[in-house]
Amino acid sequence: LKHTKINVCCGATKSINNMIHIDDISSSDINNFKIDCVVFLTTFLQKMFERSPLKYSVTRYASSLSPLNMITKPDLCGSRFKHLCYHLNELKRLSTKECDKGIQEFKKIVQDVVPVKPEFKSFDKTKLRLDVFLIKTISLKDYPVVEKVCKMILCMNHGQASVERGFSVNKSILQYNMEEKSLVSQRL
């Protein structure tokens, strides 16, 4: 990324132009500012990628289960699902026989089921969970290995969510108990 390609926001551009107009800044200062912007942007994106789940191959391979990708990029989905099965096989979560059968089942889904189901084009991830959509739309019971893979991938542990929910419940109880008319506050 070249510093000459950096385009700063309207406010920064206006401030720079005002400073140029009153001879308070030189062109080398502007170049240094843009170089600093490049350094910041590069560092920020590197840190973001370090903490992103996208650095894990399983996350990229799981995109094969996206209904929109199944419609628009069926070959890519097939390849990613194959890699997902291989990865699960390496982890001893799928046998080699299941791996091969799952790849064939997924290929059949993408070729035969997806094109005839209009629900795939209108899938909205904000309104419907992916696992529910796949179970209802594809009838995953007919594809046991794909169902097994979906359960493994879509039911991953999300860290300390249950503990965090507990803290939220405790906080709301504490707030209620600290109100003037609550039984606890009247004892004090």
Side-chain angles (χ1 to χ4, degrees):
L1 183 62
K2 294 181 179 181
H3 73 280
T4 56
K5 300 280 186 182
I6 291 293
N7 188 9
V8 292
C9 68
C10 182
T13 303
K14 187 176 180 181
S15 295
I16 290 170
N17 288 338
N18 286 341
M19 293 170 91
I20 290 171
H21 185 65
I22 59 172
D23 288 331
D24 197 23
I25 193 170
S26 68
S27 61
S28 66
D29 291 335
I30 294 170
N31 283 337
N32 288 338
F33 171 71
K34 288 185 176 187
I35 290 169
D36 288 345
C37 289
V38 170
V39 169
F40 166 76
L41 186 61
T42 306
T43 306
F44 173 75
L45 290 174
Q46 285 173 342
K47 287 289 182 187
M48 199 167 105
F49 187 72
E50 284 174 13
R51 296 179 179 150
S52 168
L54 293 175
K55 71 179 180 181
Y56 301 109
S57 57
V58 173
T59 306
R60 290 189 301 276
Y61 301 153
S63 70
S64 63
L65 301 175
S66 165
L68 298 176
N69 285 348
M70 286 184 195
I71 291 172
T72 58
K73 305 169 188 168
D75 294 334
L76 180 63
C77 283
S79 172
R80 286 185 177 170
F81 190 82
K82 180 171 88 173
H83 283 53
L84 181 60
C85 288
Y86 288 170
H87 188 76
L88 292 172
N89 178 259
E90 287 174 18
L91 296 173
K92 301 194 185 328
R93 302 284 186 204
L94 283 181
S95 68
T96 53
K97 186 177 178 181
E98 287 176 314
C99 189
D100 292 335
K101 186 174 185 211
I103 293 166
Q104 292 304 313
E105 288 177 1
F106 189 78
K107 188 175 182 179
K108 185 174 181 180
I109 290 170
V110 171
Q111 288 177 348
D112 300 341
V113 179
V114 173
V116 297
K117 300 270 186 172
E119 298 95 325
F120 278 84
K121 289 182 182 173
S122 61
F123 174 72
D124 184 2
K125 64 183 175 188
T126 61
K127 294 181 181 172
L128 188 61
R129 289 179 19 186
L130 181 58
D131 57 338
V132 173
F133 174 81
L134 292 174
I135 288 169
K136 286 182 180 178
T137 310
I138 296 176
S139 181
L140 284 180
K141 296 289 180 200
D142 299 335
Y143 306 97
V145 179
V146 173
E147 180 183 29
K148 183 177 180 179
V149 170
C150 286
K151 284 180 180 178
M152 279 190 268
I153 297 302
L154 298 177
C155 297
M156 289 182 169
N157 180 7
H158 292 290
Q160 302 296 324
S162 59
V163 175
E164 295 294 333
R165 273 193 296 278
F167 286 132
S168 295
V169 169
N170 287 343
K171 182 179 177 184
S172 63
I173 290 171
L174 281 173
Q175 287 173 343
Y176 174 75
N177 285 339
M178 295 169 98
E179 290 179 4
E180 289 180 34
K181 295 181 183 179
S182 74
L183 183 63
V184 175
S185 68
Q186 288 179 5
R187 283 192 317 192
L188 298 173

